[in-house]
Amino acid sequence: MDGAADRLAPVLRPVRAGNGFEEALEQILQVVRLGLVPQGERLPAERELAERLQISRVTLREVLKVLQDEDLVESRRGRYGGTFVRVRTAGPGEAGPQRRIERIDVEDTLRFREVLESGAAGLCASHGLTDEQGTRLRDALAATRDAPLTDYRRCDTMLHLTLAELSGSPSLAAQYAAVRASVNELLDRIPLLVRNLEHSQTQHGVLVEAVLDGDADGAREVAREHCGGTAALLRGFLTGPAG
């Protein structure tokens, strides 16, 4: 293992199957922002990165495409080509393409969201939904599937608010509405990634089916995994190094 690989060892690790794209993106963002690969230098080869993260080359290329779109890396062809960290000049008060916010603020919001979402999903599944409530949940899911990109976040929010409301706890629903507003403020600071939305839609479908099937444990687990994917993206784009 060469020196560059040694530098990346504390950050790059196999991702979990459920959120491979999001977690891989989070880790490579951290590599770039921590300066583990200095500006102007080349990232490890695609084959090595894919092996270390245990993702497919296709997924890795999608991750690298996002980083290129955000002007964090650039691709060069030829014998000495590869993916290189761009040399950037941050303006006053900036830290890269997105203004950095405090890690503690992000973590608090994301942890509270996960508790509320998994709790709401478990409650809905355990006490069961009426036919009318089940139809409302299915309709909210269908709206996210049919939504254009410009309206996706609103429909996504409505799906999760519906789940919180159907939990039967007005206090939980009120708290979720508040934390969701904070989550949306964070999401507005990062790019809308089609790959992530497709993955989210798959998880939405599994979550709704678990709720309707009365599988409380399954519903809670899918909700946690779903929140984890969003959390990985937000940490990667918005927070600085820990410590």
Side-chain angles (χ1 to χ4, degrees):
M1 182 178 292
D2 59 27
D6 287 338
R7 293 198 304 267
L8 305 187
V11 175
L12 294 185
R13 59 195 179 279
V15 301
R16 293 170 294 185
N19 295 313
F21 169 77
E22 292 86 355
E23 291 187 13
L25 179 55
E26 177 190 17
Q27 290 186 38
I28 298 180
L29 277 165
Q30 289 291 352
V31 165
V32 173
R33 288 190 163 141
L34 285 166
L36 299 181
V37 176
Q39 295 183 25
E41 291 193 11
R42 183 172 54 187
L43 291 173
E46 286 186 4
R47 177 180 55 79
E48 180 183 349
L49 283 174
E51 288 177 355
R52 297 181 73 141
L53 295 166
Q54 293 189 9
I55 57 175
S56 69
R57 296 278 285 273
V58 171
T59 297
L60 176 62
R61 286 168 185 159
E62 291 176 337
V63 168
L64 295 177
K65 177 63 166 57
V66 170
L67 299 180
Q68 289 180 47
D69 290 345
E70 291 299 301
D71 290 327
L72 291 170
V73 302
E74 60 183 344
S75 179
R76 302 177 192 170
R77 296 185 178 183
R79 181 177 179 183
Y80 300 105
T83 301
F84 290 77
V85 177
R86 288 181 63 90
V87 177
R88 303 183 306 279
T89 55
E94 293 185 16
Q98 298 287 342
R99 188 175 183 277
R100 203 68 55 80
I101 62 176
E102 291 298 324
R103 174 179 290 271
I104 186 68
D105 296 338
V106 175
E107 289 297 331
D108 183 59
T109 298
L110 297 179
R111 287 172 181 168
F112 193 36
R113 179 210 181 186
E114 181 178 318
V115 168
L116 293 176
E117 290 227 18
S118 59
L123 285 172
C124 286
S126 61
H127 68 55
L129 302 182
T130 66
D131 289 344
E132 179 182 356
Q133 290 173 330
T135 298
R136 281 187 59 198
L137 190 58
R138 288 191 184 93
D139 288 347
L141 175 63
T144 64
R145 289 174 177 154
D146 299 335
L149 281 178
T150 53
D151 201 34
Y152 180 83
R153 190 153 293 154
R154 181 188 65 82
C155 294
D156 175 61
T157 299
M158 288 306 303
L159 171 62
H160 289 280
L161 286 173
T162 299
L163 195 64
E165 181 185 349
L166 295 178
S167 72
S169 170
S171 296
L172 187 155
Q175 290 293 325
Y176 182 75
V179 79
R180 181 67 195 213
S182 297
V183 170
N184 283 357
E185 287 181 6
L186 296 175
L187 289 171
D188 286 342
R189 296 171 181 246
I190 71 173
L192 201 61
L193 306 178
V194 173
R195 168 63 184 271
N196 171 247
L197 299 188
E198 292 172 347
H199 182 206
S200 292
Q201 279 304 106
T202 299
Q203 291 177 325
H204 285 159
V206 175
L207 174 59
V208 168
E209 287 306 310
V211 167
L212 296 177
D213 288 345
D215 180 3
D217 289 340
R220 283 190 290 266
E221 182 56 33
V222 175
R224 279 192 291 267
E225 184 176 281
H226 180 62
C227 291
T230 302
L233 288 183
L234 290 171
R235 291 186 187 108
F237 276 107
L238 299 180
T239 63

